[in-house]
Amino acid sequence: MFTGFRVRCARDILDFVMATGKTFYLETFGCQMNAHDSEKVIGTLQQQGYRQVESEEEADLIFYNTCSIRDKAEQKVFHRLNDYKKLYQAGKRFGVLGCVAQQEGEKIFERAPFVSLVSGSASYRKLPEMLTRLESGETRITGLDDRQTEETFETEFMARQNPYRGYITIIEGCDKFCSYCVVPYTRGKERSRTSSSILAEARSIADMGYTEIQLLGQNVNSYRDPEGKMSFADLLANVGQVGGIRRVRFTTSHPRDFTRDIVDAIDAVPTLCDHVHLPVQSGSSRVLKLMAREYTREWYMERISWMKAAKRQISISTDIIVGFPGETADDFIQTMDLLAEVQYDCVFGFKYSARPNTPALTMIDSIPEAEKAHRLHVLLERQKEIQRSNYAKHLGQIMEVMVEAMNPARGQIAGRSSQNKPVNFTTTLPISPAPGSYVKVKIIGTFPNSLVGEMV
Ligand code: SAH
Ligand code: SF4
Ligand code: F3S
């Protein structure tokens, strides 16, 4: 599948890495942006002569790429550091990367004095220099962003970990400052890459054999081409027309910047997947205002109506926060009503978590934990029923599925539809279709979260 320059390059780096004998372990928490940043960090480390290993015990360098979106996510890295700090005596060195690193900065050295390097994502382009300092014995190295940088992190040393989906970050950072959210403080200011560099990357990953591309950004549709050549919808259409590319996904879209031409592009270009993730957060305009989301329920519903009126049937998913400070029983009912109105195919529900530096910290976190848990439970149960009926509509349909993995225990093959729905299917062929290939599957059974089928 992977040919030419890429293979030669990877082998050269591998020979170099084997010769130097330095090793690293990297664990990633959080969103797809973090997963993709890790692909760039791994490539950079390999280029610096490090070989990736599977456990903390085998590594010289132990890196955690962290997430701070909710308190629970943040605590994970401190648990890991605590579990493995004894390895410091054996000469291993620790680095904390990502959103907790940026948020906590030098405070991490106080809380975990055995950590030698702390870097937020906006400073990764300085990683080679930071690694050299680490190797020379420095113990308090920081790469911290001041929300000034205009630069994005583009590197030719990218170690793609997902064999079927090529990620491309098109916009970094966030300028929206929703009142509950850490991201504007952890990922720096909003900055887009040029459309020509994005299209060059799309063509290069198509040449490597990828057929699916996912465009990434905290608010992917807030994209502004620094060259002024393309709108986000134009960019989507252009990526969708790159030779060899069969599926283009994009996440996450912000309702404020969701324009009608995005729906038009999905209608016009068949390679653009018929799925949009459009986080609403709340169905109450009063709560949306407190959240500083910069749109009302009506504004959001207008965007939903554009998608419902499209020629293709667009699958819609969302994120919802329950128990935001001051969310009343009536506000919550409005969120439940919105669920019924939109009929989402997937909902990620979260209990509000108070976060450092955010304006919502000054509001009283008035909803007791038990009530937040109750609202989340009610929401997800209702959503399960909606999905049960949505997914049942696929019964009898024949759909194109990209094969992802085999599940020998269940005798099934796992894949995904263009709408991003998991499809588990069987085949009567003697040889199963290869991961990464596309097959036609007839749907013979449905669940609230997946479809079951037979290859035709
Ligand atoms: N940029 C995207 C979301 C990125 S964060 C957007 O604005 O839509 C992913 C999700 O985490 C958010 O959509 C939100 O639902 C959730 N989230 C963010 N901060 C949170 C907090 N403090 N407590 C609970 N959930 C939160
Ligand atoms: Fe956070 Fe709001 Fe930015 Fe999304 S738009 S990342 S929720 S601040
Ligand atoms: Fe988490 Fe940072 Fe992503 S806070 S969700 S890793 S942007």
Side-chain angles (χ1 to χ4, degrees):
M1 181 166 147
F2 305 110
T3 52
F5 174 73
R6 169 85 190 173
V7 169
R8 272 208 314 279
C9 231
R11 198 170 296 140
D12 289 349
I13 289 178
L14 200 66
D15 289 347
F16 173 50
V17 162
M18 293 311 250
T20 59
K22 300 183 288 188
T23 55
F24 74 97
Y25 171 80
L26 171 68
E27 183 173 356
T28 307
F29 305 91
C31 61
Q32 277 155 321
M33 241 90 50
N34 250 18
H36 183 45
D37 281 347
S38 283
E39 296 183 324
K40 301 185 201 176
V41 169
I42 292 169
T44 307
L45 281 160
Q46 288 175 340
Q47 210 271 330
Q48 294 295 307
Y50 285 85
R51 177 170 58 88
Q52 190 174 15
V53 292
E54 295 299 313
S55 70
E56 275 99 340
E57 285 82 1
E58 294 167 82
D60 301 321
L61 264 187
I62 299 166
F63 275 1
Y64 296 114
N65 189 5
T66 61
C67 172
S68 151
I69 200 81
R70 285 166 290 276
D71 185 55
K72 252 195 188 148
E74 176 177 344
Q75 293 320 318
K76 275 189 197 157
V77 63
F78 291 108
H79 290 142
R80 280 291 188 287
L81 286 169
N82 207 33
D83 287 348
Y84 289 99
K85 65 180 178 202
K86 55 185 181 294
L87 295 177
Y88 183 77
Q89 310 306 338
K92 300 181 190 279
R93 292 296 169 258
F94 290 83
V96 178
L97 307 178
C99 292
V100 178
Q102 179 62 43
Q103 177 189 292
E104 295 299 300
E106 297 188 354
K107 279 191 266 171
I108 291 182
F109 297 133
E110 284 156 38
R111 194 161 164 188
F114 49 92
V115 170
S116 305
L117 184 152
V118 167
S119 173
S121 63
S123 304
Y124 291 164
R125 60 187 184 286
K126 298 186 202 141
L127 262 181
E129 175 206 321
M130 289 193 267
L131 285 167
T132 310
R133 289 170 57 196
L134 189 67
E135 286 171 12
S136 71
E138 269 190 64
T139 53
R140 293 204 156 193
I141 304 157
T142 54
L144 298 171
D145 172 52
D146 50 8
R147 276 193 64 86
Q148 296 301 317
T149 187
E150 296 283 354
E151 288 179 64
T152 51
F153 180 38
E154 295 175 44
T155 171
E156 57 184 301
F157 305 112
M158 172 109 62
R160 294 192 181 274
Q161 307 289 292
N162 187 318
Y164 320 117
R165 185 178 282 181
Y167 292 112
I168 305 181
T169 301
I170 66 164
I171 172 168
E172 294 179 23
C174 177
D175 286 350
K176 297 273 192 289
F177 290 95
C178 300
S179 62
Y180 51 82
C181 183
V182 290
V183 173
Y185 313 95
T186 64
R187 294 230 154 215
K189 81 186 210 192
E190 207 164 86
R191 51 215 191 270
S192 297
R193 289 172 56 185
T194 63
S195 54
S196 21
S197 88
I198 294 164
L199 285 169
E201 188 173 346
R203 283 189 286 268
S204 99
I205 61 184
D207 288 346
M208 285 160 60
Y210 282 96
T211 57
E212 180 170 315
I213 285 179
Q214 181 156 5
L215 303 179
L216 296 177
Q218 270 307 335
N219 297 302
V220 73
N221 59 325
S222 305
Y223 177 79
R224 297 280 172 279
D225 184 1
E227 295 173 333
K229 284 193 210 152
M230 285 187 199
S231 67
F232 174 65
D234 294 337
L235 180 69
L236 274 183
N238 276 273
V239 174
Q241 282 156 20
V242 167
I245 294 305
R246 294 179 64 162
R247 285 184 176 179
V248 179
R249 302 186 184 281
F250 53 99
T251 197
T252 295
S253 295
H254 192 289
R256 181 77 228 171
D257 296 325
F258 195 85
T259 47
R260 206 175 198 143
D261 56 359
I262 299 173
V263 181
D264 296 339
I266 295 173
D267 264 343
V269 184
T271 50
L272 301 184
C273 286
D274 37 1
H275 170 224
V276 172
H277 185 62
L278 196 66
V280 65
Q281 314 301 357
S282 169
S284 155
S285 292
R286 195 187 74 86
V287 173
L288 289 172
K289 191 151 189 217
L290 292 173
M291 289 176 162
R293 285 293 285 181
E294 295 185 346
Y295 56 83
T296 59
R297 178 191 177 117
E298 291 66 35
W299 170 281
Y300 182 87
M301 286 309 297
E302 187 181 19
R303 271 108 204 111
I304 296 293
S305 73
W306 296 342
M307 288 192 266
K308 300 255 181 199
K311 290 195 229 68
R312 291 172 75 190
Q313 200 181 357
I314 299 177
S315 171
I316 308 168
S317 56
T318 202
D319 295 345
I320 289 174
I321 297 176
V322 297
F324 186 78
E327 183 190 67
T328 62
D330 180 62
D331 292 319
F332 179 62
I333 287 170
Q334 291 186 47
T335 299
M336 294 294 287
D337 287 349
L338 183 114
L339 230 56
E341 216 175 317
V342 180
Q343 299 279 308
Y344 292 108
D345 274 340
C346 180
V347 169
F348 297 92
F350 308 104
K351 290 181 282 181
Y352 168 72
S353 168
R355 305 307 295 129
N357 308 320
T358 61
L361 257 191
T362 61
M363 306 175 191
I364 299 163
D365 190 359
S366 54
I367 320 288
E369 187 57 27
E371 179 59 21
K372 285 182 192 167
H374 174 68
R375 288 183 191 177
L376 186 61
H377 177 76
V378 170
L379 181 100
L380 295 179
E381 282 302 303
R382 177 76 188 94
Q383 179 55 26
K384 198 170 166 188
E385 291 319 308
I386 292 172
Q387 278 175 227
R388 196 185 298 284
S389 109
N390 283 1
Y391 275 54
K393 292 180 189 146
H394 292 296
L395 200 66
Q397 287 179 354
I398 292 177
M399 54 177 68
E400 188 180 63
V401 173
M402 192 227 245
V403 179
E404 285 182 350
M406 307 295 152
N407 185 341
R410 295 169 68 188
Q412 284 179 325
I413 303 158
R416 263 170 208 280
S417 70
S418 163
Q419 289 191 335
N420 208 29
K421 292 180 177 150
V423 184
N424 299 308
F425 63 98
T426 51
T427 175
T428 50
L429 292 177
I431 300 171
S432 296
S437 63
Y438 293 80
V439 296
K440 291 267 190 283
V441 173
K442 179 168 185 190
I443 303 305
I444 57 165
T446 68
F447 293 104
N449 280 306
S450 66
L451 302 168
V452 180
E454 283 167 350
M455 196 171 136
V456 292

